[in-house]
Amino acid sequence: MLTRLPRLGVSLPRLLCNPPARFVSQSKASGSAGAASVTELHPPEEKSGHGEVSPYVKNPDYHGFSQDPVVDEWNMRVGFFFGISVALVIGGAFVHYLPDHGMREWARREAERVVLQREQEGVPVLSEYYFDPEKIVLPSSGEQ
């Protein structure tokens, strides 16, 4: 996902700035001279005495969980505890106990076992041949 960000280039700041607030209609309106009309995206709300108050006015520390400030702060703390602390601990334990995917640990143990076996037998640990040349059967020059 992050590899796609450079493709946006210069247009990324323009996308992140203020979203469009209105649309311009280019269709011909009936009864007018064909001028472009501007319409609001959201119609303005009527001003009344008992309008809804923003939660940020009621509670400056509003976190978006509840209208009640005590419940909002409690839900925020619980959410962050489970979202961050528990996820890091359980996630770290899960990654730690994943099986040896590349069989690296097994390969190391097997190599150490083979080295000990060859040292006990008195055979060199590494030889210049991958296979034992005495066991390789080569075709004669006439069979090619």
Side-chain angles (χ1 to χ4, degrees):
M1 180 70 183
L2 291 176
T3 59
R4 295 181 186 166
L5 281 178
R7 291 187 215 160
L8 294 175
V10 182
S11 65
L12 183 61
R14 282 184 276 154
L15 292 173
L16 296 177
C17 69
N18 295 334
R22 53 188 169 161
F23 295 109
V24 176
S25 173
Q26 297 291 332
S27 63
K28 293 183 180 180
S30 60
S32 69
S37 62
V38 176
T39 59
E40 293 293 327
L41 182 61
H42 299 289
E45 297 180 16
E46 295 179 15
K47 301 287 182 182
S48 62
H50 60 281
E52 188 173 327
V53 179
S54 171
Y56 294 106
V57 174
K58 293 179 187 175
N59 179 13
D61 297 328
Y62 180 66
H63 301 291
F65 293 101
S66 176
Q67 298 294 334
D68 183 18
V70 175
V71 174
D72 184 52
E73 187 171 351
W74 176 251
N75 286 340
M76 183 266 307
R77 288 179 178 171
V78 168
F80 274 92
F81 174 75
F82 284 109
I84 295 174
S85 302
V86 173
L88 289 176
V89 171
I90 293 176
F94 177 77
V95 169
H96 177 73
Y97 287 107
L98 281 174
D100 187 18
H101 187 65
M103 296 185 67
R104 292 182 190 97
E105 293 174 13
W106 173 85
R108 172 91 182 196
R109 287 193 311 265
E110 185 68 17
E112 290 172 355
R113 188 188 64 81
V114 169
V115 166
L116 286 174
Q117 178 185 0
R118 289 188 176 198
E119 285 176 351
Q120 290 172 354
E121 294 175 354
V123 180
V125 176
L126 294 174
S127 67
E128 58 187 67
Y129 300 111
Y130 188 74
F131 294 105
D132 186 12
E134 301 295 327
K135 296 181 180 177
I136 296 177
V137 178
L138 297 174
S140 62
S141 60
E143 294 180 13
Q144 292 179 2

